[in-house]
Amino acid sequence: MQEETQAAADPVPYIGRFKTTAASAQGAAQALAAAFQKDGFTVIVVTYDGRLAPAACAPCRPEGLRELLAQTMLVEMDQLREGKVIVVIDAQPVFHEGKAYHPIKPDVVDALIAEMQEAWADDDLSGIYVQE
């Protein structure tokens, strides 16, 4: 009974949110995406300009995520690779003179996560990781 309650409480897909400080290394989201790709996952990297992503990862802007994710999920399902897609959102702020500038705003990150949870509430989408 307790296992069932715990399973129901765990979000699907898994969500990992990592906070960035002025001391954090730049490129943490890119390193995370590269590691998942190396482990055999299909990785979509969301960046503010839709360009910066490790090799073999699919980059996109926040507004292009819905379409790219739907296309990617169809391809993965056709190849019987359900549960092998990970989305990495690179919302790491830039620190300048003690202030943080967010290339992807926190409310946009929240909206993207909510949309993915609603659209992919089964096990097809393995995880969402955010460097913010």
Side-chain angles (χ1 to χ4, degrees):
M1 177 78 168
Q2 188 172 1
E3 272 184 40
E4 290 176 15
T5 305
Q6 180 62 30
D10 289 341
V12 176
Y14 172 78
I15 299 171
R17 296 182 83 156
F18 306 98
K19 294 291 183 192
T20 300
T21 66
S24 299
Q26 289 295 314
Q30 305 303 319
L32 185 63
F36 280 124
Q37 194 279 325
K38 189 176 180 181
D39 285 344
F41 287 91
T42 297
V43 182
I44 296 173
V45 180
V46 180
T47 63
Y48 73 96
D49 63 357
R51 294 187 201 156
L52 185 65
C57 295
C60 73
R61 295 175 58 104
E63 56 273 13
L65 178 60
R66 176 187 295 192
E67 183 177 338
L68 180 59
L69 185 55
Q71 291 170 355
T72 302
M73 297 302 270
L74 285 175
V75 169
E76 293 296 303
M77 285 187 259
D78 284 348
Q79 296 176 1
L80 301 175
R81 286 176 42 89
E82 288 94 345
K84 285 297 209 173
V85 177
I86 296 213
V87 175
V88 175
I89 302 173
D90 186 354
Q92 187 168 353
V94 175
F95 291 92
H96 181 69
E97 295 180 359
K99 293 184 179 182
Y101 298 92
H102 297 272
I104 300 176
K105 303 287 185 217
D107 58 332
V108 172
V109 171
D110 292 340
L112 289 172
I113 290 172
E115 183 177 321
M116 285 186 282
Q117 283 182 304
E118 184 177 324
W120 304 102
D122 51 22
D123 293 328
D124 293 337
L125 180 58
S126 200
I128 302 166
Y129 293 84
V130 183
Q131 183 70 42
E132 57 188 339

